[in-house]
PDB file of all heavy atoms in Angstrom:
ATOM      1  N   ILE K 152      58.497   5.181 -18.431  1.00 93.00           N
ATOM      2  CA  ILE K 152      59.506   4.467 -19.206  1.00 93.00           C
ATOM      3  C   ILE K 152      59.357   2.997 -18.847  1.00 93.00           C
ATOM      4  O   ILE K 152      59.724   2.586 -17.743  1.00 93.00           O
ATOM      5  CB  ILE K 152      60.926   4.974 -18.863  1.00 93.00           C
ATOM      6  CG1 ILE K 152      61.005   6.488 -19.063  1.00 93.00           C
ATOM      7  CG2 ILE K 152      61.968   4.229 -19.679  1.00 93.00           C
ATOM      8  CD1 ILE K 152      62.144   7.146 -18.332  1.00 93.00           C
ATOM      9  N   GLY K 153      58.755   2.230 -19.749  1.00 92.00           N
ATOM     10  CA  GLY K 153      58.466   0.833 -19.421  1.00 92.00           C
ATOM     11  C   GLY K 153      57.534   0.764 -18.226  1.00 92.00           C
ATOM     12  O   GLY K 153      56.508   1.424 -18.189  1.00 92.00           O
ATOM     13  N   ALA K 154      57.910  -0.013 -17.211  1.00 95.00           N
ATOM     14  CA  ALA K 154      57.095  -0.161 -16.010  1.00 95.00           C
ATOM     15  C   ALA K 154      57.360   0.944 -14.985  1.00 95.00           C
ATOM     16  O   ALA K 154      56.701   1.019 -13.959  1.00 95.00           O
ATOM     17  CB  ALA K 154      57.354  -1.526 -15.371  1.00 95.00           C
ATOM     18  N   LEU K 155      58.306   1.823 -15.272  1.00 96.00           N
ATOM     19  CA  LEU K 155      58.709   2.890 -14.358  1.00 96.00           C
ATOM     20  C   LEU K 155      57.881   4.146 -14.594  1.00 96.00           C
ATOM     21  O   LEU K 155      57.714   4.592 -15.730  1.00 96.00           O
ATOM     22  CB  LEU K 155      60.192   3.216 -14.565  1.00 96.00           C
ATOM     23  CG  LEU K 155      60.773   4.328 -13.687  1.00 96.00           C
ATOM     24  CD1 LEU K 155      60.872   3.851 -12.248  1.00 96.00           C
ATOM     25  CD2 LEU K 155      62.127   4.742 -14.221  1.00 96.00           C
ATOM     26  N   THR K 156      57.361   4.714 -13.501  1.00 97.00           N
ATOM     27  CA  THR K 156      56.649   5.987 -13.548  1.00 97.00           C
ATOM     28  C   THR K 156      57.453   6.996 -12.745  1.00 97.00           C
ATOM     29  O   THR K 156      57.822   6.730 -11.601  1.00 97.00           O
ATOM     30  CB  THR K 156      55.230   5.855 -12.955  1.00 97.00           C
ATOM     31  OG1 THR K 156      54.485   4.953 -13.769  1.00 97.00           O
ATOM     32  CG2 THR K 156      54.520   7.191 -12.910  1.00 97.00           C
ATOM     33  N   GLN K 157      57.734   8.144 -13.355  1.00 97.00           N
ATOM     34  CA  GLN K 157      58.484   9.207 -12.700  1.00 97.00           C
ATOM     35  C   GLN K 157      57.578  10.416 -12.503  1.00 97.00           C
ATOM     36  O   GLN K 157      56.834  10.788 -13.401  1.00 97.00           O
ATOM     37  CB  GLN K 157      59.679   9.630 -13.549  1.00 97.00           C
ATOM     38  CG  GLN K 157      60.696   8.539 -13.735  1.00 97.00           C
ATOM     39  CD  GLN K 157      61.853   8.986 -14.609  1.00 97.00           C
ATOM     40  OE1 GLN K 157      61.670   9.714 -15.580  1.00 97.00           O
ATOM     41  NE2 GLN K 157      63.053   8.547 -14.254  1.00 97.00           N
ATOM     42  N   ILE K 158      57.676  11.019 -11.312  1.00 96.00           N
ATOM     43  CA  ILE K 158      56.900  12.212 -10.994  1.00 96.00           C
ATOM     44  C   ILE K 158      57.874  13.314 -10.600  1.00 96.00           C
ATOM     45  O   ILE K 158      58.656  13.158  -9.664  1.00 96.00           O
ATOM     46  CB  ILE K 158      55.903  11.957  -9.844  1.00 96.00           C
ATOM     47  CG1 ILE K 158      54.984  10.789 -10.198  1.00 96.00           C
ATOM     48  CG2 ILE K 158      55.108  13.223  -9.545  1.00 96.00           C
ATOM     49  CD1 ILE K 158      54.061  10.379  -9.073  1.00 96.00           C
ATOM     50  N   THR K 159      57.812  14.429 -11.333  1.00 96.00           N
ATOM     51  CA  THR K 159      58.668  15.578 -11.069  1.00 96.00           C
ATOM     52  C   THR K 159      57.897  16.587 -10.228  1.00 96.00           C
ATOM     53  O   THR K 159      56.728  16.869 -10.504  1.00 96.00           O
ATOM     54  CB  THR K 159      59.097  16.237 -12.396  1.00 96.00           C
ATOM     55  OG1 THR K 159      59.760  15.254 -13.186  1.00 96.00           O
ATOM     56  CG2 THR K 159      60.016  17.403 -12.163  1.00 96.00           C
ATOM     57  N   ASP K 160      58.535  17.142  -9.232  1.00 96.00           N
ATOM     58  CA  ASP K 160      57.939  18.172  -8.391  1.00 96.00           C
ATOM     59  C   ASP K 160      57.917  19.476  -9.192  1.00 96.00           C
ATOM     60  O   ASP K 160      58.974  20.014  -9.521  1.00 96.00           O
ATOM     61  CB  ASP K 160      58.765  18.338  -7.120  1.00 96.00           C
ATOM     62  CG  ASP K 160      58.222  19.399  -6.182  1.00 96.00           C
ATOM     63  OD1 ASP K 160      57.264  20.122  -6.540  1.00 96.00           O
ATOM     64  OD2 ASP K 160      58.776  19.519  -5.068  1.00 96.00           O
ATOM     65  N   PRO K 161      56.730  20.003  -9.533  1.00 92.00           N
ATOM     66  CA  PRO K 161      56.678  21.223 -10.355  1.00 92.00           C
ATOM     67  C   PRO K 161      57.278  22.437  -9.646  1.00 92.00           C
ATOM     68  O   PRO K 161      57.708  23.387 -10.295  1.00 92.00           O
ATOM     69  CB  PRO K 161      55.186  21.410 -10.633  1.00 92.00           C
ATOM     70  CG  PRO K 161      54.492  20.649  -9.566  1.00 92.00           C
ATOM     71  CD  PRO K 161      55.404  19.528  -9.166  1.00 92.00           C
ATOM     72  N   GLU K 162      57.329  22.420  -8.317  1.00 93.00           N
ATOM     73  CA  GLU K 162      57.915  23.526  -7.566  1.00 93.00           C
ATOM     74  C   GLU K 162      59.443  23.450  -7.545  1.00 93.00           C
ATOM     75  O   GLU K 162      60.113  24.439  -7.285  1.00 93.00           O
ATOM     76  CB  GLU K 162      57.376  23.531  -6.126  1.00 93.00           C
ATOM     77  CG  GLU K 162      55.867  23.662  -6.031  1.00 93.00           C
ATOM     78  CD  GLU K 162      55.353  24.978  -6.603  1.00 93.00           C
ATOM     79  OE1 GLU K 162      56.003  26.017  -6.372  1.00 93.00           O
ATOM     80  OE2 GLU K 162      54.310  24.960  -7.281  1.00 93.00           O
ATOM     81  N   ASN K 163      59.975  22.249  -7.776  1.00 94.00           N
ATOM     82  CA  ASN K 163      61.426  22.022  -7.755  1.00 94.00           C
ATOM     83  C   ASN K 163      61.825  21.151  -8.936  1.00 94.00           C
ATOM     84  O   ASN K 163      62.250  20.005  -8.750  1.00 94.00           O
ATOM     85  CB  ASN K 163      61.842  21.360  -6.435  1.00 94.00           C
ATOM     86  CG  ASN K 163      61.526  22.232  -5.246  1.00 94.00           C
ATOM     87  OD1 ASN K 163      62.091  23.297  -5.087  1.00 94.00           O
ATOM     88  ND2 ASN K 163      60.598  21.768  -4.417  1.00 94.00           N
ATOM     89  N   PRO K 164      61.684  21.655 -10.168  1.00 85.00           N
ATOM     90  CA  PRO K 164      61.931  20.817 -11.340  1.00 85.00           C
ATOM     91  C   PRO K 164      63.379  20.346 -11.486  1.00 85.00           C
ATOM     92  O   PRO K 164      63.645  19.385 -12.205  1.00 85.00           O
ATOM     93  CB  PRO K 164      61.525  21.711 -12.520  1.00 85.00           C
ATOM     94  CG  PRO K 164      61.573  23.104 -11.987  1.00 85.00           C
ATOM     95  CD  PRO K 164      61.294  23.008 -10.515  1.00 85.00           C
ATOM     96  N   GLY K 165      64.315  20.968 -10.777  1.00 91.00           N
ATOM     97  CA  GLY K 165      65.710  20.544 -10.842  1.00 91.00           C
ATOM     98  C   GLY K 165      66.008  19.327  -9.977  1.00 91.00           C
ATOM     99  O   GLY K 165      67.047  18.679 -10.130  1.00 91.00           O
ATOM    100  N   ASN K 166      65.108  19.030  -9.048  1.00 96.00           N
ATOM    101  CA  ASN K 166      65.299  17.858  -8.185  1.00 96.00           C
ATOM    102  C   ASN K 166      65.045  16.579  -8.971  1.00 96.00           C
ATOM    103  O   ASN K 166      64.245  16.571  -9.914  1.00 96.00           O
ATOM    104  CB  ASN K 166      64.343  17.900  -6.993  1.00 96.00           C
ATOM    105  CG  ASN K 166      64.721  18.959  -5.979  1.00 96.00           C
ATOM    106  OD1 ASN K 166      65.776  19.585  -6.076  1.00 96.00           O
ATOM    107  ND2 ASN K 166      63.856  19.165  -5.013  1.00 96.00           N
ATOM    108  N   PRO K 167      65.693  15.490  -8.594  1.00 97.00           N
ATOM    109  CA  PRO K 167      65.420  14.226  -9.290  1.00 97.00           C
ATOM    110  C   PRO K 167      63.957  13.821  -9.099  1.00 97.00           C
ATOM    111  O   PRO K 167      63.378  14.074  -8.036  1.00 97.00           O
ATOM    112  CB  PRO K 167      66.350  13.223  -8.626  1.00 97.00           C
ATOM    113  CG  PRO K 167      67.077  13.925  -7.544  1.00 97.00           C
ATOM    114  CD  PRO K 167      66.665  15.357  -7.529  1.00 97.00           C
ATOM    115  N   PRO K 168      63.361  13.202 -10.103  1.00 97.00           N
ATOM    116  CA  PRO K 168      61.952  12.786  -9.961  1.00 97.00           C
ATOM    117  C   PRO K 168      61.815  11.628  -8.976  1.00 97.00           C
ATOM    118  O   PRO K 168      62.753  10.860  -8.762  1.00 97.00           O
ATOM    119  CB  PRO K 168      61.581  12.345 -11.375  1.00 97.00           C
ATOM    120  CG  PRO K 168      62.867  11.988 -12.021  1.00 97.00           C
ATOM    121  CD  PRO K 168      63.918  12.853 -11.400  1.00 97.00           C
ATOM    122  N   LYS K 169      60.634  11.535  -8.399  1.00 97.00           N
ATOM    123  CA  LYS K 169      60.283  10.358  -7.595  1.00 97.00           C
ATOM    124  C   LYS K 169      60.002   9.240  -8.577  1.00 97.00           C
ATOM    125  O   LYS K 169      59.381   9.461  -9.619  1.00 97.00           O
ATOM    126  CB  LYS K 169      59.040  10.615  -6.729  1.00 97.00           C
ATOM    127  CG  LYS K 169      59.187  11.746  -5.752  1.00 97.00           C
ATOM    128  CD  LYS K 169      60.071  11.356  -4.612  1.00 97.00           C
ATOM    129  CE  LYS K 169      60.098  12.492  -3.584  1.00 97.00           C
ATOM    130  NZ  LYS K 169      61.032  12.247  -2.524  1.00 97.00           N
ATOM    131  N   GLU K 170      60.434   8.039  -8.254  1.00 97.00           N
ATOM    132  CA  GLU K 170      60.258   6.914  -9.177  1.00 97.00           C
ATOM    133  C   GLU K 170      59.483   5.793  -8.510  1.00 97.00           C
ATOM    134  O   GLU K 170      59.724   5.460  -7.351  1.00 97.00           O
ATOM    135  CB  GLU K 170      61.620   6.398  -9.649  1.00 97.00           C
ATOM    136  CG  GLU K 170      62.381   7.425 -10.447  1.00 97.00           C
ATOM    137  CD  GLU K 170      63.681   6.892 -11.033  1.00 97.00           C
ATOM    138  OE1 GLU K 170      64.218   5.900 -10.505  1.00 97.00           O
ATOM    139  OE2 GLU K 170      64.134   7.471 -12.033  1.00 97.00           O
ATOM    140  N   PHE K 171      58.556   5.238  -9.272  1.00 97.00           N
ATOM    141  CA  PHE K 171      57.715   4.137  -8.817  1.00 97.00           C
ATOM    142  C   PHE K 171      57.666   3.087  -9.920  1.00 97.00           C
ATOM    143  O   PHE K 171      57.552   3.439 -11.091  1.00 97.00           O
ATOM    144  CB  PHE K 171      56.290   4.633  -8.513  1.00 97.00           C
ATOM    145  CG  PHE K 171      56.255   5.731  -7.496  1.00 97.00           C
ATOM    146  CD1 PHE K 171      56.331   7.061  -7.893  1.00 97.00           C
ATOM    147  CD2 PHE K 171      56.154   5.443  -6.153  1.00 97.00           C
ATOM    148  CE1 PHE K 171      56.312   8.087  -6.969  1.00 97.00           C
ATOM    149  CE2 PHE K 171      56.129   6.465  -5.206  1.00 97.00           C
ATOM    150  CZ  PHE K 171      56.207   7.792  -5.619  1.00 97.00           C
ATOM    151  N   THR K 172      57.729   1.837  -9.539  1.00 97.00           N
ATOM    152  CA  THR K 172      57.656   0.761 -10.521  1.00 97.00           C
ATOM    153  C   THR K 172      56.371  -0.027 -10.301  1.00 97.00           C
ATOM    154  O   THR K 172      56.048  -0.395  -9.168  1.00 97.00           O
ATOM    155  CB  THR K 172      58.873  -0.180 -10.402  1.00 97.00           C
ATOM    156  OG1 THR K 172      60.055   0.596 -10.586  1.00 97.00           O
ATOM    157  CG2 THR K 172      58.827  -1.259 -11.462  1.00 97.00           C
ATOM    158  N   PHE K 173      55.652  -0.252 -11.385  1.00 96.00           N
ATOM    159  CA  PHE K 173      54.417  -1.025 -11.380  1.00 96.00           C
ATOM    160  C   PHE K 173      54.584  -2.186 -12.344  1.00 96.00           C
ATOM    161  O   PHE K 173      55.550  -2.247 -13.101  1.00 96.00           O
ATOM    162  CB  PHE K 173      53.235  -0.138 -11.815  1.00 96.00           C
ATOM    163  CG  PHE K 173      53.020   1.049 -10.925  1.00 96.00           C
ATOM    164  CD1 PHE K 173      53.640   2.263 -11.204  1.00 96.00           C
ATOM    165  CD2 PHE K 173      52.199   0.968  -9.816  1.00 96.00           C
ATOM    166  CE1 PHE K 173      53.456   3.370 -10.390  1.00 96.00           C
ATOM    167  CE2 PHE K 173      52.002   2.067  -8.990  1.00 96.00           C
ATOM    168  CZ  PHE K 173      52.636   3.274  -9.279  1.00 96.00           C
ATOM    169  N   ASP K 174      53.633  -3.090 -12.351  1.00 95.00           N
ATOM    170  CA  ASP K 174      53.665  -4.141 -13.368  1.00 95.00           C
ATOM    171  C   ASP K 174      53.550  -3.528 -14.757  1.00 95.00           C
ATOM    172  O   ASP K 174      54.211  -3.966 -15.692  1.00 95.00           O
ATOM    173  CB  ASP K 174      52.538  -5.162 -13.135  1.00 95.00           C
ATOM    174  CG  ASP K 174      52.741  -5.942 -11.856  1.00 95.00           C
ATOM    175  OD1 ASP K 174      53.738  -6.680 -11.763  1.00 95.00           O
ATOM    176  OD2 ASP K 174      51.901  -5.792 -10.935  1.00 95.00           O
ATOM    177  N   PHE K 175      52.712  -2.496 -14.860  1.00 94.00           N
ATOM    178  CA  PHE K 175      52.514  -1.796 -16.126  1.00 94.00           C
ATOM    179  C   PHE K 175      52.355  -0.304 -15.861  1.00 94.00           C
ATOM    180  O   PHE K 175      51.607   0.082 -14.967  1.00 94.00           O
ATOM    181  CB  PHE K 175      51.262  -2.297 -16.862  1.00 94.00           C
ATOM    182  CG  PHE K 175      51.267  -3.762 -17.144  1.00 94.00           C
ATOM    183  CD1 PHE K 175      50.608  -4.652 -16.310  1.00 94.00           C
ATOM    184  CD2 PHE K 175      51.940  -4.270 -18.250  1.00 94.00           C
ATOM    185  CE1 PHE K 175      50.607  -6.002 -16.569  1.00 94.00           C
ATOM    186  CE2 PHE K 175      51.955  -5.619 -18.511  1.00 94.00           C
ATOM    187  CZ  PHE K 175      51.291  -6.493 -17.667  1.00 94.00           C
ATOM    188  N   SER K 176      53.050   0.514 -16.597  1.00 95.00           N
ATOM    189  CA  SER K 176      52.863   1.965 -16.586  1.00 95.00           C
ATOM    190  C   SER K 176      52.461   2.353 -17.998  1.00 95.00           C
ATOM    191  O   SER K 176      53.259   2.230 -18.928  1.00 95.00           O
ATOM    192  CB  SER K 176      54.164   2.677 -16.194  1.00 95.00           C
ATOM    193  OG  SER K 176      54.469   2.465 -14.837  1.00 95.00           O
TER     194      SER K 176
END
């Protein structure tokens, strides 16, 4: 989403995703 990259844990899809911000995603 914009510069934000979210990674969801496939083993725990109900957990909030890890979020990382880059100059460009």
Side-chain angles (χ1 to χ4, degrees):
I152 305 160
L155 180 70
T156 296
Q157 296 179 322
I158 304 174
T159 302
D160 180 354
E162 301 297 320
N163 298 294
N166 288 352
K169 300 286 185 186
E170 296 185 337
F171 303 90
T172 302
F173 300 91
D174 294 296
F175 303 97
S176 290

